[in-house]
Amino acid sequence: MDCTIHQQVKNMNLIRNEVISEGDTRILCCYFNNSSKVQIARITNIPNWYFERTVFPGERFLFEAMPEAELEVWRNAETDAVACDRILCDRLRVEESSTAD
């Protein structure tokens, strides 16, 4: 299942951080934890903006970010070390689909 928006998603809460000024372009993004481990998702590369969320196994969540923001996904690796993947938020963009009424 992908992160395409449809009627059911409109009822979900979006995570917003209002520190970003209204003039900045934000996009709707979706991240899915397809692992069996709890992960921490963070955005730290945008000045004066903080975003962090615990993401449970199998959880999918929507959030707004600037296209150039990087989502850092922290997890415990098999060796008990901490690993971090970085994903450009523009790659997590949700494409809205129109539905005929």
Side-chain angles (χ1 to χ4, degrees):
M1 180 177 187
D2 63 8
C3 291
T4 304
I5 288 192
H6 48 80
Q7 285 301 112
Q8 296 171 346
V9 175
K10 290 185 180 180
N11 295 327
M12 293 179 70
N13 291 328
L14 299 180
I15 297 170
R16 296 181 186 190
N17 192 323
E18 298 302 327
V19 176
I20 297 176
S21 69
E22 287 301 314
D24 292 326
T25 301
R26 290 183 252 178
I27 58 172
L28 182 62
C29 304
C30 181
Y31 177 75
F32 174 61
N33 178 357
N34 63 353
S35 76
S36 61
K37 305 228 181 220
V38 173
Q39 299 176 338
I40 304 296
R42 299 174 55 191
I43 295 175
T44 59
N45 71 315
I46 303 297
N48 301 316
W49 193 56
Y50 182 79
F51 174 90
E52 183 171 301
R53 166 135 183 189
T54 302
V55 189
F56 293 96
E59 182 179 0
R60 180 182 320 272
F61 77 96
L62 295 173
F63 62 99
E64 285 186 334
M66 294 167 40
E68 64 271 18
E70 288 183 351
L71 185 70
E72 297 176 353
V73 179
W74 294 85
R75 58 183 162 61
N76 284 332
E78 298 296 324
T79 61
D80 288 332
V82 176
C84 176
D85 295 318
R86 287 185 173 84
I87 307 165
L88 189 60
C89 288
D90 194 50
R91 294 187 64 210
L92 300 172
R93 182 189 303 247
V94 173
E95 296 297 328
E96 295 189 47
S97 61
S98 60
T99 56
D101 290 84

